[in-house]
Amino acid sequence: MTFLKHSTELFPNSYRAVSRGKRFGGFCKLRFLQWVFLLAALFLTYFATFGVNIFSHGDLDSRVLLLREVHHGTPIVVKQPSKHRKQYRPCEIQLLDSVNGLVEPKDFTNFTQFSLDYIEKEDKPFRSNNFEPRFGGHQTLQEREKSFYAANQTLHCGFVKGPPGLSSTLFDLDENDKAYMNTCVIVVSSCIFGSTDYLRRPDRRMISEYSKKNVCFVMFVEKQTLSTLSSDGNIPNDRGYMGLWRIVVVRNLPYKDMRKTGKVPKFLSHRLFPSSRYSIWLDSKLRLIADPMLIIEYFLWRTRSEYAISNHYERHCVWEEVLRNKRLNKYNHTAIDEQFAVYQSDGLTVFDPEDPSTPLPSYVPEGSFIIRAHTPMSNLFSCLWFNEVDRFTSRDQLSFAYTYLKLRRMNPDKPFHLNMFKDCERRATAKTLKHRLLSPPSTT
């Protein structure tokens, strides 16, 4: 106390200064807390405003989305793939060691038998001034419904000619190429339209001498793609070949959408190669790394199947595929919605892997690799699937399950032997490479 008194006497303003210092410190702490609360409020406001968008768009893949499509009154939960794409690798498959001694099973062609003919020409309807010929024809809804019956019939399946003066079917081929294609019994085919890919040559080391001599390898292109391939150093020889590929140039493409044009050789190999008994379709992103005859033996003969296609490596439900196509703007959203609404109204159901009655391991195919025996049921399914693509969108993964299930439902006593195999098996026979250029999404 003596020291305090002495000090205040010596410094009469010191106590006042200390008091002011305390008040100043309290004031600073108050202002600091105010700033902290203000910054917190600003952060919360920003998060509330923009955070929703972050989770709604930028991080869509990491969420579980609830699609409000009604299925028996129950919302459907659809998981989206991870933002970080997984690496998918081939699995080991037991192909035969050699084609030597390979013989088609005697009873292999014992499948459902009926006769198919195709509409080759359409006349202009009476009093119709706006008639325009279409490659797929003008199939009515009644004709569409009837075409699903596995019975003797004449149906739309592309290559439909118009009235006199408009007789071109589009997808026109040189007569020499057509003559060559008429001789093919076993076919490996692919296409590049719109210069969207590089030329992927089959691995010759894996192709037997038998297949090199007896299997037709046909690559369909149009002039623009041929020019692009030539600038890459890929020039056909005097016989029209680039390696094993016979290059067939298509004139008058039937669709503006190059993806839809590509469905012609993909689905209609039985029409392009009328003498063929087997065909293998390769998307242009694939390189064949196994012998075609060994592929046919493994996927068709060994499983007693007339059609083989791999399931998708990520998605198995059409609902998921619809969402994915719309999110990535693969096609016009309204067109996708209209197609999906038709399929739902006609009985398409959600894929349920737990249901033992589910007829396929997946309702979404990978679609880039198809092995076919050209049987009546296989040819009918190919025509039906093509007609769905022609009528609706070019996204054929949306129409696969509907087409298969409807064909199966309408022909309960006529089985269609379809082998849907694992995608890793596809990767063991055909190597997946990147596209040169991704086509812009179609708006039609």
Side-chain angles (χ1 to χ4, degrees), residues 17 47 145 185 199 303 324 337:
F47 185 83
E145 187 71 14
V185 178
L199 184 71
T303 61
R324 185 71 170 175
D337 289 339

Side-chain angles (χ1 to χ4, degrees), residues 352-370:
D352 182 3
E354 304 300 327
D355 185 354
S357 64
T358 301
L360 291 173
S362 172
Y363 281 179
V364 182
E366 205 286 327
S368 64
F369 187 59
I370 302 174

